[in-house]
Amino acid sequence: MSKDLRPSAEARTASVVNLAQTLIRCPSRAGIDGYGPVLGVLEDWLAEHGLSHRRLHDAAGSVVGLLVEIPGGHPGPWWTLDACVDTAPYGDEAAWSFPPTSGDIVDGWLLGRGAADSKLAAALFCHIAADLAPRATSLRGGLAVLLDVDEHTGGFGGALAYLADPRAVRPAGVLIGYPGLDEVVVGGRGLWRASITVHAPSGHSGSSKTVVGAISRAAHLVRLLHSAELPGVDGDSGFPLPPKLSVTAFHGGQGFSVTPDRADLNIDVRTTPGFDAADAETLVRKAVAALDAELPAPVSTEVTPVASWPPFRLSPIQQPAAALLNAAAEAGLTVRAKTAGPSNIGNLLAGEGIPATAGFGVPYEGLHGIDERARLADLPTVYAVYQHAVLSLLDG
């Protein structure tokens, strides 16, 4: 009788945590730190465990992720586990009660930036791949593990490079490893984003001639935008959240004595099936037209759209949501299907016609804030849920 060489649940959990600690101790703040070191940690681990992998590059040739591919022995759809290994910035490090790159375990919590979002999930998905690889011939389709960077910039370069890679099999669905034990995120609002440039004549702030400067005009535009009427929740579509408009950046002027001739704003509109990107653009351009009519300037206000993603929402019986919800229920967890307010990679995938879940994992605190941490007590259960879900998708 052959001996089962697979690791025990305790040994596997310890190995997942050890890899996550190493990743946390390797700074990978989006747009600040280089990604080579953190991806190197993963490459070493994958090579040590015999998992074939390759780097993904963006159009400029920069490395934006790693891709692990495990083909099954029988025809079928491919599924993808995705976790980012870049992180949000640290913010005010003096406000943290431990170093952002701690990686220590205190009272059952894994400490440090990326513990929640999403280095622990990346470590977990690597171990699931290592567990499944020896029995891949019995599976249908295949499993890909995407370990991406350029996620917290909002550029999603890793996911885009994966979708553009002609060698990669297009997935039937994606499970994204954002944290949270009580919910499986099956949807999210979309977005429409634009930069707006407001013009005005420049002048001396002490001049006897009154000049309505660009900042004053831009402030009036903000008031127009905030007073614009947005629809509520659309009962017909069943989408549970309303649209939302936010002014997220405002830049203009310099010093004290000059009335500036330009101000720049960023506008973020979260969209729904009943209020889509076209509706968002119409609303913003209507406010801009009102500004130019009420406070004329020599140059018209410019609106430059910069991003647009659709909202998405899976039904609880649609894959891969059904597999994850069923696996969680079989593990004794009470979870609910949630549509999230923030947008995520699931929106990008929805635009490509690929269904995705965007969150199920360990409990957490401080995500994107100070003292980020992840609770480890539930890690074995989360591991078992994802493994069960993946096996059910691969018909194993």
Side-chain angles (χ1 to χ4, degrees), residues 211-229:
V211 175
V212 180
I215 288 178
S216 296
R217 295 189 76 239
H220 185 61
L221 176 59
V222 171
R223 288 191 291 270
L224 290 170
L225 289 167
H226 283 171
S227 64
E229 186 174 349

Side-chain angles (χ1 to χ4, degrees), residues 6 20 25 42 45 49 85 109 142 146 195 206 235 249 254 259 267 277-278 284 316 337 384 390 396:
R6 287 178 293 177
R25 289 166 180 159
L42 289 166
W45 192 93
H49 289 79
V85 292
W109 291 83
L146 174 63
S195 60
Q254 184 175 358
T259 302
I267 308 298
V284 170
V390 167

Side-chain angles (χ1 to χ4, degrees), residues 125-215:
F125 289 168
C126 285
H127 281 75
I128 287 180
D131 278 354
L132 291 184
R135 44 180 155 161
T137 55
S138 67
L139 305 178
R140 299 183 183 278
L143 176 69
V145 177
L146 174 63
L147 304 163
D148 56 324
V149 292
D150 192 39
E151 195 266 6
H152 283 86
T153 63
F156 295 163
L160 289 169
Y162 170 45
L163 296 175
D165 190 332
R167 292 184 291 168
V169 180
R170 194 170 186 84
V174 178
L175 297 93
I176 304 167
Y178 297 134
L181 192 66
D182 300 326
E183 300 160 338
V184 171
V185 176
V186 298
R189 284 189 291 208
L191 61 80
W192 180 84
R193 289 174 176 164
S195 60
I196 298 179
T197 302
V198 178
H199 300 279
S202 62
H204 196 291
S205 60
S207 172
S208 59
K209 181 180 179 181
T210 300
V211 175
V212 180
I215 288 178

Side-chain angles (χ1 to χ4, degrees), residues 138-388:
S138 67
L139 305 178
R140 299 183 183 278
L143 176 69
V145 177
L146 174 63
L147 304 163
D148 56 324
V149 292
D150 192 39
E151 195 266 6
H152 283 86
T153 63
F156 295 163
L160 289 169
Y162 170 45
L163 296 175
D165 190 332
R167 292 184 291 168
V169 180
R170 194 170 186 84
V174 178
L175 297 93
I176 304 167
Y178 297 134
L181 192 66
D182 300 326
E183 300 160 338
V184 171
V185 176
V186 298
R189 284 189 291 208
L191 61 80
W192 180 84
R193 289 174 176 164
S195 60
I196 298 179
T197 302
V198 178
H199 300 279
S202 62
H204 196 291
S205 60
S207 172
S208 59
K209 181 180 179 181
T210 300
V211 175
V212 180
I215 288 178
S216 296
R217 295 189 76 239
H220 185 61
L221 176 59
V222 171
R223 288 191 291 270
L224 290 170
L225 289 167
H226 283 171
S227 64
E229 186 174 349
L230 291 169
V233 173
D234 181 3
D236 293 335
S237 71
F239 199 84
L241 298 172
K244 181 182 180 182
L245 183 149
S246 302
V247 179
T248 56
F250 192 124
H251 305 283
Q254 184 175 358
F256 293 91
S257 62
V258 177
T259 302
D261 61 0
R262 172 174 174 155
D264 296 286
L265 293 76
N266 287 348
I267 308 298
D268 179 283
V269 185
R270 298 304 165 117
T271 61
T272 67
F275 187 84
D276 61 15
D279 297 318
E281 183 167 1
T282 297
L283 181 147
V284 170
R285 291 191 181 277
K286 182 177 179 181
V288 164
L291 168 70
D292 288 346
E294 295 171 21
L295 298 175
V299 179
S300 299
T301 302
E302 302 165 16
V303 179
T304 305
V306 296
S308 179
W309 296 337
F312 76 102
R313 186 167 184 254
L314 309 185
S315 76
I317 61 172
Q318 185 177 356
Q319 298 292 17
L324 197 53
L325 287 164
N326 291 341
E330 292 190 23
L333 299 176
T334 301
V335 299
R336 67 185 182 96
K338 177 185 177 181
T339 300
S343 303
N344 52 64
I345 291 181
N347 297 90
L348 171 67
L349 294 167
E352 296 285 333
I354 300 172
T357 60
F360 171 77
V362 298
Y364 64 93
E365 294 178 356
L367 187 147
H368 288 195
I370 64 169
D371 288 354
E372 182 176 343
R373 67 188 76 196
R375 194 174 77 191
L376 297 176
D378 299 292
L379 180 59
T381 300
V382 170
Y383 187 98
V385 168
Y386 270 108
Q387 187 177 53
H388 186 150

